[in-house]
Amino acid sequence: MPGIAAAGSEVVIDVAPPPPKDERAPPLRDGYVWGAGFWEWRGHAYSWVPGHWVVERRNAQWIADHWEQEGTQWHYVPGHWER
């Protein structure tokens, strides 16, 4: 059984996510940026969440949901804006 730690909305697991699915972004949409799909941990397995439109913020860059490895653990990083 995979090891899981959750504090608030933080998800940490010792099972690597599968490779991203080949998902093509639709044509550009004025006022929006495309948030790529990602693997979401559902308690016992990963489930693919398709990409979606995110309302654009001027002077900021959208960082899509993703997983970061730290040692043998994987940390979920929710999509967010960075300036």
Side-chain angles (χ1 to χ4, degrees), residues 29 31-35 52-57 60-62 81:
R29 186 173 168 191
Y32 293 85
V33 297
W34 181 250
H52 59 281
W53 290 109
V54 180
V55 177
E56 183 178 39
R57 288 192 185 173
Q61 178 184 5
W62 176 250
W81 291 99

Side-chain angles (χ1 to χ4, degrees), residues 12-26:
V12 179
I13 186 160
D14 61 3
V15 178
K21 289 191 174 189
D22 184 19
E23 181 179 64
R24 295 174 199 240

Side-chain angles (χ1 to χ4, degrees), residues 5-12 70 75-76:
S9 61
E10 183 178 13
V11 177
V12 179
E70 292 182 25
H75 295 251
Y76 171 69

Side-chain angles (χ1 to χ4, degrees):
M1 178 168 196
I4 303 169
S9 61
E10 183 178 13
V11 177
V12 179
I13 186 160
D14 61 3
V15 178
K21 289 191 174 189
D22 184 19
E23 181 179 64
R24 295 174 199 240
L28 294 177
R29 186 173 168 191
D30 193 37
Y32 293 85
V33 297
W34 181 250
F38 64 97
W39 289 104
E40 178 179 68
W41 182 253
R42 297 273 175 103
H44 56 57
Y46 284 99
S47 178
W48 181 253
V49 176
H52 59 281
W53 290 109
V54 180
V55 177
E56 183 178 39
R57 288 192 185 173
R58 295 188 189 272
N59 303 315
Q61 178 184 5
W62 176 250
I63 306 299
D65 300 67
H66 64 279
W67 292 87
E68 291 182 354
Q69 185 176 13
E70 292 182 25
T72 61
Q73 296 183 320
W74 291 86
H75 295 251
Y76 171 69
V77 180
H80 59 279
W81 291 99
E82 285 189 359
R83 291 193 182 267

